[in-house]
Amino acid sequence: MTVTEKDKKFIANTYARFPVTIVSGKGATAKDENGKEYIDMGSGIGVNSFGYCDKEWIEAVTAQLNKLQHTSNLYYTEPGVELAELLCKKSGMKKCFFGNSGAEANECAIKAARKYSLDKYNDSDRNVIITLKQSFHGRTLATLKATGQDSFHTIFGPFPEGFIYSEANDFDAFESVCNDKVCAVIMEMIQGEGGVNPLDKIFVKKVFEFCSERDIIVITDEVQTGNGRTGKMYAYQNYDILPDIATTAKGVAGGLPMGVCMLGEKLKDTLTPGSHGSTFGMNPVIAAGAVSIIKRIDDKFLSEVVKKGEYIKSRLGNCKNVKSVSGMGLMLGIETEKDAKEVVAKCIEKGVLPLTAKTKIRLLPPLNITYDELEKAMDIITEVIDE
Ligand SMILES: *Cc1c(COP(=O)(O)O)cnc(C)c1O
């Protein structure tokens, strides 16, 4: 049986895969089972921050693998602590909880926000969380419910309660759904799966002011936007605000599974022994990989991310079929006259791997993609869009 046939036979049928089997990669270039090469403009959905098989990352991971692959959270370990210190310095947050995915990071944020509210107000009804329409927060039951798209709420019920939805970029709507039972709001600064839609600066500023006056916890979901993706370490830094909680995952460990719930000043002591936990969380091998990624994302590196994003935008600006380009840094959404899925399928034939987000083509290339690779990828993408 081929890989494709075995996959169909033994893997749960949750993914509509493209007819490509990726077997290896180097930098931003992936190779399939026939040796055909592709420039990867999706990084495994924003995960491979430094591309495939980055030398420094492999060295960090393998060195740790040769020392200690796992122990339990009953004992202290070094890499997670080093990573947490780095993340706090770069984010302005105060403490980290480590899990294994974006959904888990958001679960932790939901729990922490509710516990903060209960500890402080002793009102078990003050538990409601406002989320934005068109958002995406994960696939667990709670994070599905937190996802502000009705299509995610049709099966798998009953869901956890306590989520209400408000239109993004409409502060009046936000104000009108907010009541004294609300303990938190969660939002992506740029909605990723929802179509690469950045929030308006004025909306964000008003929500922050409104929430801080009422002690409503602001959670920013930086699962996709975090770790340098938008040209800042975290996307909220493009908005000059500091949330109470920031969650991240995807790109944080350069290709290994990790989710982080970063707690700000208000919530740094909210979680207590036994109130939350994870067997695999803070795994030393993954944390060592993450340290090697995070420590290299400095201001100089971030300014390159911005420049590469500008380069992509300038190439798209010359396309007759491009209607709009949204996003920041290397998280971009392209609206064209054509069907996004057809554009992606054609690009794959020609050796480029882009993503889609709703009706847009979505680009999330490795942050360290070379101009040579970027140029080749944009030659093909612009050709397919305009042909
Ligand atoms: C991908 C994503 C998630 C879910 O992350 P998983 O690791 O798949 O659980 C949550 N929020 C946002 C904004 C995402 O892009």
Side-chain angles (χ1 to χ4, degrees):
M1 273 198 280
T2 64
V3 171
T4 315
E5 287 162 353
K6 272 196 198 173
D7 186 298
K8 295 227 180 313
K9 183 154 185 200
F10 296 112
I11 302 292
N13 190 25
T14 57
Y15 304 105
R17 299 192 208 278
F18 290 101
V20 178
T21 304
I22 305 291
V23 293
S24 65
K26 188 72 199 157
T29 303
K31 218 183 243 185
D32 74 8
E33 81 276 35
N34 303 314
K36 178 176 167 184
E37 291 189 338
Y38 304 83
I39 299 174
D40 186 352
M41 295 297 279
S43 326
I45 318 192
V47 168
N48 297 333
S49 304
F50 282 65
Y52 297 102
C53 297
D54 174 73
K55 193 163 167 280
E56 207 175 314
W57 177 81
I58 289 183
E59 276 167 13
V61 170
T62 49
Q64 182 57 42
L65 202 47
N66 281 301
K67 275 202 270 187
L68 177 80
Q69 87 275 28
H70 172 81
T71 177
S72 72
N73 277 311
L74 297 171
Y75 315 108
Y76 292 96
T77 51
E78 204 182 326
V81 172
E82 202 188 318
L83 174 60
E85 185 184 10
L86 258 179
L87 289 173
C88 286
K89 273 198 187 135
K90 290 181 183 252
S91 67
M93 297 289 114
K94 299 297 176 192
K95 286 193 177 182
C96 298
F97 175 85
F98 292 106
N100 314 287
S101 65
E104 280 174 89
N106 287 336
E107 288 271 345
C108 178
I110 293 164
K111 282 184 170 179
R114 285 184 173 166
K115 184 166 185 299
Y116 171 86
S117 179
L118 187 65
D119 288 350
K120 190 152 172 187
Y121 299 97
N122 197 27
D123 171 4
S124 58
D125 291 332
R126 193 182 184 278
N127 60 34
V128 174
I129 295 171
I130 301 180
T131 91
L132 299 183
K133 291 183 185 166
Q134 290 291 95
S135 60
F136 181 79
H137 298 297
R139 299 275 187 177
T140 61
L141 288 169
T143 57
L144 269 181
K145 196 67 197 292
T147 291
Q149 304 184 45
D150 293 340
S151 61
F152 286 89
H153 308 151
T154 55
I155 37 181
F156 308 127
F159 291 97
E161 288 169 30
F163 296 94
I164 55 177
Y165 311 101
S166 189
E167 204 67 54
N169 297 329
D170 183 345
F171 180 71
D172 292 341
F174 184 89
E175 208 175 1
S176 75
V177 299
C178 196
N179 58 43
D180 60 0
K181 299 303 170 209
V182 170
C183 70
V185 52
I186 181 165
M187 51 192 185
E188 299 154 89
M189 307 314 287
I190 305 176
Q191 296 185 328
E193 310 300 317
V196 195
N197 305 313
L199 295 183
D200 293 344
K201 286 207 165 143
I202 295 183
F203 172 75
V204 171
K205 190 165 172 277
K206 282 186 177 167
V207 168
F208 263 70
E209 280 168 6
F210 181 89
C211 290
S212 92
E213 277 162 22
R214 289 161 184 79
D215 200 19
I216 293 169
I217 297 303
V218 176
I219 305 165
T220 62
D221 178 342
E222 297 265 356
V223 170
Q224 191 163 153
T225 52
N227 315 302
R229 177 56 55 191
T230 68
K232 295 278 185 191
M233 189 63 190
Y234 291 101
Y236 58 77
Q237 292 161 336
N238 292 301
Y239 290 78
D240 298 317
I241 45 113
L242 190 63
D244 300 302
I245 302 178
T247 59
T248 194
K250 290 191 167 84
V252 68
L256 291 170
M258 169 176 274
V260 196
C261 178
M262 300 186 280
L263 303 158
E265 185 63 39
K266 266 190 189 178
L267 293 103
K268 68 178 199 281
D269 298 319
T270 297
L271 297 176
T272 48
S275 64
H276 195 43
S278 165
T279 301
F280 283 115
M282 201 170 151
N283 173 276
V285 175
I286 301 179
V291 167
S292 113
I293 298 293
I294 297 300
K295 76 178 182 199
R296 284 184 278 168
I297 303 177
D298 56 15
D299 288 344
K300 187 162 163 273
F301 183 86
L302 290 169
S303 71
E304 277 300 306
V305 170
V306 173
K307 272 194 219 154
K308 287 170 190 172
E310 294 304 326
Y311 171 77
I312 295 176
K313 282 187 185 166
S314 77
R315 291 293 306 266
L316 292 167
N318 298 326
C319 288
K320 65 177 192 308
N321 286 339
V322 169
K323 288 204 270 186
S324 70
V325 183
S326 61
M328 296 176 199
L330 288 173
M331 176 172 183
L332 297 169
I334 313 163
E335 205 188 348
T336 75
E337 302 287 348
K338 293 191 173 175
D339 179 68
K341 292 206 171 68
E342 277 172 30
V343 170
V344 168
K346 280 238 172 85
C347 284
I348 293 175
E349 271 175 37
K350 291 176 188 263
V352 175
L353 307 174
L355 303 167
T356 59
K358 295 282 180 280
T359 58
K360 292 183 189 169
I361 299 148
R362 176 173 42 154
L363 303 181
L364 301 171
L367 303 178
N368 66 347
I369 187 170
T370 62
Y371 275 99
D372 189 38
E373 289 166 314
L374 204 48
E375 209 181 304
K376 278 188 204 153
M378 292 316 296
D379 285 349
I380 291 173
I381 292 171
T382 53
E383 181 190 310
V384 170
I385 290 175
D386 269 358
E387 77 190 359

